[in-house]
Amino acid sequence: MVKQTPETVILLNFGCKDIQKFARAIRAEHIYTMVMPWTTPVARVMQEAPVGLIVCRDEAASEHPAELAAFQALNIPVLIDKGMDAAAAIAFCKDTCKCQGLWTVDRFIEEAVADVKAQVGTGKVVLGLSGGVDSSVAAALIHKAIGKQLTCVFVNHGLLRLGEPEQVQKIFRDAFDMNLVYIDATDRFLDKLAGVNEPEKKRKIIGAEFIDVFAEAAAKVDAPFLGQGSIYPDFLESIPLDGNPNGVIKSHHNVGGLPENLKFELVEPLARLFKDEVRAVGRKLGLPEVMIDRQPFPGPSLGVRCVGEIKREYLRMLREADAIFTEELRASGWYSKTWQAFAAFLPVKSVGMLNGERHYGYTIALRAINTSDAVTAQVVHLPWELLEKVAIRIPTEVQGISRVVFDCTPKPPATIEWE
Ligand code: XMP
C-alpha cells in the first residue's frame, strides 16, 4: 500500500532500538512518518514522496556508508540523528522540511474510507471481530466506508470474559447496525480441549479450531476480501527493520500467518497507525470507551489463564473472579494505570471458611503488570486496600473459590500470562 499523504518524513533505521518511540513522538506532532530499514531501495523510499529523511542510528550501530551516501544524494533534506533527540527531529521536520502538522484523525479517516472504497468497489468484506481494540476499530472504519458490504464474524470459543459476547453483539449489531454473524462454538472448542493440560497444545488446538470455524463462516459470506485490524507495530515487528533477519521481534499471527487455503485479498485500514492513533480513530467513529481503553487480551483468551486442564466449571469461576477484579480496578482508577491486569485460575484446593463453615475450594491468582513492549514487565504495586477488597469479594461471591493470591513476579523470570 503506497500513500501519498503530504508531509511524509521517513525514518531510516540504520540500527536504532527505540525507533518506534521516535516515530510516535513525530506523529504526535501530526507529522506523518514511516519507518524503513536502511536496506530499503531508494526508489521505494521515493515512492512515498517524502519531504525529509531522518537517519536513525544508535552510537554503537555499524555504519553503512554506501547506502547512507545514496540517501544523501537525493534532493531532499536529510538529518542524521545519533542521539534519538526527538526535539531536534521535530525541529527538523518543522523548520527544514516545512511540515505544518496535517496528519490528523479526521484526515486519516477520510483517506482510509476513500482507500477502502477504492479497493473493494462493490465487493464484500468479511472480518473476524474479536472484541479487541484493533479489530473493533477496523470494523467501524470499514463499515463507515462500505456499510452492509461488510460482514463481521464473531466466534465465541467459550473462553471469553464475562458479558463479552453480549457486549460485542450489542455494540456492533444494535448500535452500529452491522451485519454480524455470531457463532457460539463453545462446545466445539471445549470438547477438543477436554483432558488437555499442556499450554502449547492448548494454544494449538484453540488456534487451529478458530481458523476452521472462521473459515466455515467466511465461506458462507462468499467475500473476496478479508478485513483485518493489523496495526503498524505488527508490521514493524514482523520485518527485520535493521536489515538483520535476527532482528524480527515477533511474527504476528495477522501478518503473513494466514493459511494458504484462505484465499482472500486483505483490507487493512489501520496498517499505518500506532495503537494510540487507533484508539483516537475509534473514539472519533463513536465506539464506546469500554471498547477503546481495553487492555490487551491474548488470542487463546481465558484458555491460557485457566491453568492446566480447561473445564466449564473452572471457566465459570475464572470469569466471575476476573469480572470482580476488573470492576474494582475500574472503580479505583487503576484499570487505566495498568497495562494488563487479570485473574488466573489455579486448580489448587485449599481450606476456607464460608458462613462459619469449613469448605474446600480452588485458588485465584491476581496479576497486574506494566510494560512498554511485553518483552519485560514490572509488577504494578496495587494498593493493599484494593487487593484486600478483591481478595475478600472473590471467595465470598464466587462459588468454589476459597483463596486469592497476588502474583508478584516480574517478567523475567516469569512470563506475563500463567501459561
Ligand atoms: P507472555 O505471557 O509471553 O505475554 O509474557 C506477552 C504478551 O503476549 C500476550 N500473549 C499472547 N497473545 N497469543 C496472543 O495473541 C498468545 O498465545 C499469547 N500468549 C501471551 C500476553 O497477554 C501479553 O500481553
Side-chain angles (χ1 to χ4, degrees):
M1 180 193 53
V2 175
K3 293 301 305 174
Q4 296 297 332
T5 301
E7 303 191 338
T8 298
V9 173
I10 307 263
L11 299 187
L12 290 166
N13 193 354
F14 274 69
C16 169
K17 284 190 289 300
D18 283 334
I19 198 149
Q20 282 201 41
K21 277 189 202 153
F22 205 46
R24 279 298 308 119
I26 297 173
R27 290 257 189 118
E29 298 293 318
H30 303 293
I31 296 166
Y32 183 62
T33 179
M34 293 173 75
V35 178
M36 294 187 176
W38 62 270
T39 47
T40 309
V42 167
R44 171 69 192 92
V45 171
M46 294 311 286
Q47 265 182 340
E48 299 295 333
V51 294
L53 304 179
I54 302 177
V55 171
C56 302
R57 184 161 68 197
D58 290 340
E59 282 301 338
S62 48
E63 311 218 348
H64 302 283
E67 287 76 8
L68 183 58
F71 290 120
Q72 282 178 309
L74 296 168
N75 198 19
I76 42 175
V78 179
L79 174 75
I80 300 186
D81 193 301
K82 285 188 184 170
M84 293 304 292
D85 182 348
I90 290 164
F92 167 77
C93 298
K94 289 185 176 169
D95 301 343
T96 311
C97 308
K98 307 285 178 225
C99 293
Q100 298 168 51
L102 300 174
W103 171 250
T104 60
V105 170
D106 286 325
R107 186 181 184 116
F108 168 79
I109 293 175
E110 208 178 291
E111 280 184 11
V113 163
D115 280 354
V116 171
K117 279 185 179 160
Q119 186 186 357
V120 310
T122 55
K124 285 185 192 167
V125 178
V126 64
L127 179 142
L129 194 59
S130 71
V133 181
D134 301 342
S135 69
S136 298
V137 176
L141 193 51
I142 296 173
H143 180 255
K144 185 175 171 69
I146 58 166
K148 296 278 184 184
Q149 279 167 259
L150 169 71
T151 300
C152 293
V153 174
F154 179 63
V155 177
N156 180 357
H157 44 33
L159 303 165
L160 297 168
R161 289 161 294 189
L162 198 71
E164 226 168 339
E166 296 77 13
Q167 186 190 45
V168 168
Q169 291 181 80
K170 203 166 145 205
I171 293 170
F172 293 95
R173 186 182 291 140
D174 302 346
F176 274 82
D177 190 27
M178 283 189 201
N179 286 333
L180 177 69
V181 178
Y182 169 71
I183 302 166
D184 187 349
T186 302
D187 290 343
R188 197 167 152 170
F189 278 83
L190 297 191
D191 288 352
K192 282 247 159 74
L193 287 164
V196 181
N197 283 283
E198 213 263 310
E200 287 312 301
K201 226 180 194 170
K202 284 161 64 173
R203 274 197 173 78
K204 283 209 178 82
I205 293 172
I206 297 166
E209 200 60 23
F210 193 90
I211 288 169
D212 284 353
V213 174
F214 180 77
E216 282 168 27
K220 286 186 193 144
V221 179
D222 194 23
F225 298 97
L226 178 71
Q228 289 209 127
S230 321
I231 67 173
Y232 199 37
D234 296 344
F235 295 94
L236 292 183
E237 290 166 9
S238 296
I239 54 166
L241 269 186
D242 59 358
N244 172 5
N246 297 328
V248 172
I249 300 175
K250 50 190 165 184
S251 297
H252 284 261
H253 61 93
N254 50 359
V255 179
L258 280 175
E260 286 288 310
N261 58 354
L262 283 189
K263 298 231 182 300
F264 289 109
E265 181 181 328
L266 297 180
V267 180
E268 299 184 299
L270 309 180
R272 292 185 285 155
L273 302 189
F274 286 102
K275 195 83 177 188
D276 48 351
E277 293 170 324
V278 172
R279 292 198 162 101
V281 168
R283 281 193 188 98
K284 199 85 192 185
L285 293 172
L287 284 170
E289 202 54 32
V290 289
M291 214 88 218
I292 301 288
D293 77 345
R294 283 230 153 144
Q295 295 181 348
F297 190 53
S301 311
L302 297 185
V304 288
R305 294 181 179 172
C306 185
V307 175
E309 187 182 356
I310 298 172
K311 295 186 182 175
R312 282 164 203 266
E313 185 57 1
Y314 293 173
L315 288 171
R316 195 251 325 144
M317 290 184 253
L318 173 54
R319 248 182 219 122
E320 292 177 12
D322 189 68
I324 291 171
F325 188 29
T326 304
E327 185 185 315
E328 293 296 344
L329 284 163
R330 282 198 183 275
S332 59
W334 279 90
Y335 185 85
S336 56
K337 289 190 264 179
T338 51
W339 202 76
Q340 263 180 316
F342 56 87
F345 176 88
L346 313 186
V348 175
K349 278 189 153 182
S350 69
V351 177
M353 294 273 295
L354 197 62
N355 304 324
E357 304 237 337
R358 188 186 150 91
H359 87 118
Y360 201 45
Y362 289 102
T363 309
I364 287 291
L366 304 178
R367 185 134 177 81
I369 58 95
N370 270 332
T371 177
S372 55
D373 53 12
V375 176
T376 61
Q378 304 77 45
V379 174
V380 177
H381 295 205
L382 293 178
W384 194 251
E385 299 71 33
L386 169 64
L387 287 173
E388 204 167 32
K389 192 171 182 190
V390 175
I392 293 170
R393 276 193 67 189
I394 291 176
T396 313
E397 297 174 32
V398 182
Q399 199 192 352
I401 300 293
S402 62
R403 203 164 289 260
V404 174
V405 297
F406 183 65
D407 178 358
C408 57
T409 332
K411 173 183 180 176
T415 54
I416 294 173
E417 301 294 342
W418 268 64
E419 290 193 330

